[in-house]
Amino acid sequence: MPRLGQVPRDDAHPFAQAIYGMIFGDRDPVAEPGTASGTPGDWWTVFAQVPDAFDHTTAGFQFYRSPDRVLSARHRELGQTRAGYAVGSKFVFSQHCKAMRDVGFTDEQVAAIPSWSASDCFSTDERALLAYTDCLVLQHGRVPESLFETLKDHFSEIEIIEFTYITCTYAMHATMTKALRLEYDDVDERVVEEPDPDGNFAGLDVMAVVDEN
């Protein structure tokens, strides 16, 4: 379950109710969760607590999918998918792996996203975008001048601005989804202390053996 409460259909504001209808049909997504892609759908029901936030984020989705975009859908999805992986959001990564295939990437290319720098299945311009994505997400915007010059060799300034905005937006979505434990990111922390075989959490200095040598 997500860390925050969810808004049932009858309590949602009009725009959220309209979106609920598109995604969940006639169901109340709180009482009967689940989307066509297999996710619980609780991203929508949690964010519906703040109608302005719900409307703002949905407008962001409409922005990147608008036919007014100069950036191609193919290039856009590279940034979104790699951002999801780099942040560690299974939800964003999984959803956009599917979207990558929809815009023409092969199964080999989708599988190579986690280790793209060691793969030879991306073109020069695609590798530049993947490297730029890592700079945006993992280096928080610290981009070597040589990489930026390579971007400018392949993409217009408008394409670079659109790619930057969309990729950073999806780094934000991946971060929020993890923090609120939504969708596929409702997972327990893996890095925790484990007891010894007798169930003890104290009284055993595991590295003491080196003190005797």
Side-chain angles (χ1 to χ4, degrees):
M1 296 293 291
R3 284 173 159 161
L4 301 178
Q6 303 179 66
V7 180
R9 176 188 292 274
D10 290 345
D11 297 335
H13 66 291
F15 184 58
Q17 288 185 347
I19 296 295
Y20 281 13
M22 296 175 189
I23 297 173
F24 304 102
D26 295 332
R27 288 179 289 119
D28 177 348
V30 177
E32 299 180 73
T35 69
S37 65
T39 70
D42 53 29
W43 190 97
W44 303 97
T45 55
V46 167
F47 271 90
Q49 286 202 62
V50 185
D52 288 354
F54 186 101
D55 296 353
H56 186 272
T57 54
T58 305
F61 303 145
Q62 293 168 332
F63 170 85
Y64 86 73
R65 298 183 67 85
S66 168
D68 294 335
R69 296 285 68 77
V70 176
L71 182 71
S72 72
R74 183 180 175 91
H75 289 137
R76 174 196 80 213
E77 289 298 334
L78 271 182
Q80 290 170 302
T81 311
R82 177 61 189 178
Y85 184 83
V87 172
S89 169
K90 183 178 181 180
F91 173 58
V92 172
F93 176 68
S94 177
Q95 295 293 87
H96 287 276
C97 282
K98 297 172 179 63
M100 280 186 67
R101 294 186 183 90
D102 288 343
V103 297
F105 284 102
T106 65
D107 287 341
E108 178 188 11
Q109 289 171 317
V110 173
I113 287 292
S115 56
W116 71 267
S117 60
S119 171
D120 60 2
C121 63
F122 295 107
S123 62
T124 300
D125 59 325
E126 291 167 347
R127 291 178 65 83
L129 288 177
L130 288 164
Y132 183 49
T133 298
D134 283 357
C135 290
L136 292 173
V137 179
L138 300 176
Q139 295 294 326
H140 307 291
R142 186 182 184 188
V143 183
E145 197 63 38
S146 58
L147 172 56
F148 208 85
E149 288 302 317
T150 300
L151 284 176
K152 291 168 68 175
D153 287 341
H154 294 280
F155 301 99
S156 70
E157 294 194 1
I158 291 176
E159 288 175 304
I160 292 171
I161 292 171
E162 290 183 351
F163 183 89
T164 303
Y165 181 80
I166 294 166
T167 301
C168 288
T169 296
Y170 266 76
M172 176 189 71
H173 281 300
T175 299
M176 293 190 302
T177 304
K178 287 176 61 184
L180 302 181
R181 290 186 62 156
L182 303 176
E183 307 291 357
Y184 292 144
D185 292 319
D186 182 15
V187 293
D188 293 334
E189 174 59 57
R190 291 185 63 253
V191 184
V192 296
E193 181 185 7
E194 295 288 348
D196 70 17
D198 297 321
N200 299 314
F201 285 91
L204 176 64
D205 181 357
V206 294
M207 295 306 297
V209 293
V210 303
D211 297 339
E212 300 174 3
N213 296 322

